[in-house]
Amino acid sequence: QVQLAESGGGSVQAGGSLRLSCDYSGRTFSSGAMGWFRQAPGREREFVAAIRRSGYYTYYTESVKGRFTISRDGAKNVISLQMNSLTPEDTAVYYCAFGPGVILSRVRVADAYVHWGQGTQVTVSS
């Protein structure tokens, strides 16, 4: 049984940084992709970033490019999201997701991911 557990959320002022972590267990990340999505109140869940198994291929939504970095520590089964230069628009619940069968064309699609964590709140104040 796959389990994903996010940590690292919190409150920060605009311009600050946070690092989210996602510990995964129960299945080896041997294919597909792992990603981060976020959902703000009253809005749909949106794609933030994703990474393929190799760690060499990463994908970002336009609004976070240059500010967020997704990475993988295979030895520790951890996916991280380093978030810099945060703005109030980044405020949301952030979810870690795993899709063993995710193909390239759907790496940004939430429905392509099968396993989800419970989410961690990120609040950025102005």
Side-chain angles (χ1 to χ4, degrees), residues 5-11 17-23 36-38 48 68-71 78-84 86 90 92-96 119-123:
E6 303 97 337
S7 61
S11 297
S17 299
L18 285 173
R19 186 177 181 88
L20 305 183
S21 294
C22 174
D23 293 85
W36 288 95
F37 290 76
R38 65 187 180 187
V48 177
F68 291 12
T69 302
I70 188 171
S71 60
V78 174
I79 299 292
S80 298
L81 184 69
Q82 177 66 42
M83 306 186 296
N84 299 327
L86 286 161
D90 295 316
V93 177
Y94 283 70
Y95 297 90
C96 176
T120 185
Q121 176 70 46
V122 171
T123 303

Side-chain angles (χ1 to χ4, degrees), residues 57-90:
Y57 299 101
T58 57
Y59 313 87
Y60 299 92
T61 192
E62 195 64 33
S63 64
V64 309
K65 284 183 179 178
R67 301 189 298 122
F68 291 12
T69 302
I70 188 171
S71 60
R72 177 193 179 212
D73 185 337
K76 298 181 180 179
N77 288 346
V78 174
I79 299 292
S80 298
L81 184 69
Q82 177 66 42
M83 306 186 296
N84 299 327
S85 302
L86 286 161
T87 74
E89 288 68 38
D90 295 316

